[in-house]
Amino acid sequence: FPGRSREFTVDFDAKAIGLAFDELRILSDDHEFPELRVPLRANYLGEPKVRVTPNPIDFGYVAQGRQGLKNVQVANVGTGVAPVTVESIEFSDPATQDFAFAEAFVGPRTLAPLTTDTTALIPLELRYTPRSTAKHTMELVVKTSAGEVRVPMLGNAETPPKLVFNPTAIDLGDVPLGTTNLATLTLSNEGGAALNVALKWGGANPNTDLFTTPIVVPAIAGGSFVEVQVGFTAT
């Protein structure tokens, strides 16, 4: 009716990075202007996405009064060319005495996507200096133009990791040519903090017929264990 209006929404679903053009035609029974044309224009830059590495930030076991260090990176791993502005980086509890920045972040800082600029990174050095014999938790809060990112931080000054392995010696016996013998080695962490283990063959000329599965052992949480297959294939 005369003097009234109606609203409607036009959506834009980007299919590719860059400019998009179109035209909206409004047809009516208006005798003077039966067709109105409204130009449409959009520029899709992509979607920014902030990633903090590592996530979570685990300092593992650090004795009371000692200091642990972690290098952390903040990057834009979004699509296209859409930048993101990092406004602030802080701890969820600014009054913490157990966690600290080596250097405070000074913002804001705009990051291009890593696909367009591999140097667009914010490096951080975080320090964990436990003031008490306990397990400590915190969050690293990264506030950006694309929203807020919270990364868990963990530190343990209560119970160190403790490795127990079984058996204490492995005898794979006689192995005929072309066959393989296996034995299971169990690595247990009887401590509280995560245990980091690396496997390495000893001796000046280790035998290349020996192998382990897996080659890389993941961190073993307190109270848990990992089984490693130690094998020998006679070649």
Side-chain angles (χ1 to χ4, degrees):
F1 293 96
R4 298 188 183 183
S5 63
R6 175 167 295 181
E7 294 182 355
F8 63 94
T9 302
V10 178
D11 294 324
F12 174 62
D13 185 11
K15 304 300 181 184
I17 304 296
L19 293 171
F21 300 93
D22 210 323
E23 185 179 70
L24 181 66
R25 296 183 180 182
I26 303 175
L27 307 178
S28 72
D29 57 0
D30 187 313
H31 291 289
E32 186 176 358
F33 301 104
E35 179 179 297
L36 293 177
R37 298 190 177 191
V38 181
L40 300 179
R41 179 184 180 276
N43 186 14
Y44 181 59
L45 300 178
E47 294 185 21
K49 182 180 179 181
V50 176
R51 182 175 67 190
V52 180
T53 306
N55 186 355
I57 304 168
D58 191 351
F59 288 88
Y61 175 75
V62 178
Q64 181 182 357
R66 297 294 182 93
Q67 186 177 89
L69 302 176
K70 278 288 183 180
N71 292 316
V72 178
Q73 288 185 337
V74 180
N76 177 7
V77 295
T79 58
V81 295
V84 66
T85 300
V86 179
E87 299 163 356
S88 65
I89 302 176
E90 55 193 20
F91 298 127
S92 54
D93 180 8
T96 178
Q97 294 184 334
D98 299 306
F99 299 94
F101 294 98
E103 292 185 9
F105 170 75
V106 179
R109 180 174 170 184
T110 300
L111 296 177
L114 280 179
T115 53
T116 61
D117 184 359
T118 56
T119 65
L121 297 166
I122 298 178
L124 301 170
E125 183 181 284
L126 304 185
R127 296 174 178 175
Y128 171 54
T129 310
R131 307 303 173 94
S132 60
T133 305
K135 294 180 180 178
H136 302 96
T137 60
M138 188 65 59
E139 283 186 318
L140 184 68
V141 183
V142 182
K143 296 181 180 179
T144 76
S145 56
E148 187 176 274
V149 177
R150 288 178 171 261
V151 181
M153 298 175 58
L154 312 169
N156 189 341
E158 189 174 61
T159 49
K162 182 181 179 181
L163 172 65
V164 175
F165 57 94
N166 184 54
T168 56
I170 296 175
D171 185 357
L172 293 170
D174 296 329
V175 185
L177 185 65
T179 63
T180 299
N181 278 10
L182 295 171
T184 300
L185 174 65
T186 302
L187 306 176
S188 302
N189 181 6
E190 295 186 352
L195 175 70
N196 296 312
V197 176
L199 301 178
K200 180 181 178 180
W201 296 108
N205 297 300
N207 194 306
T208 57
D209 290 348
L210 289 163
F211 65 91
T212 62
T213 304
I215 298 175
V216 179
V217 179
I220 306 173
S224 62
F225 66 91
V226 168
E227 290 185 342
V228 177
Q229 296 297 316
V230 180
F232 181 84
T233 300
T235 59

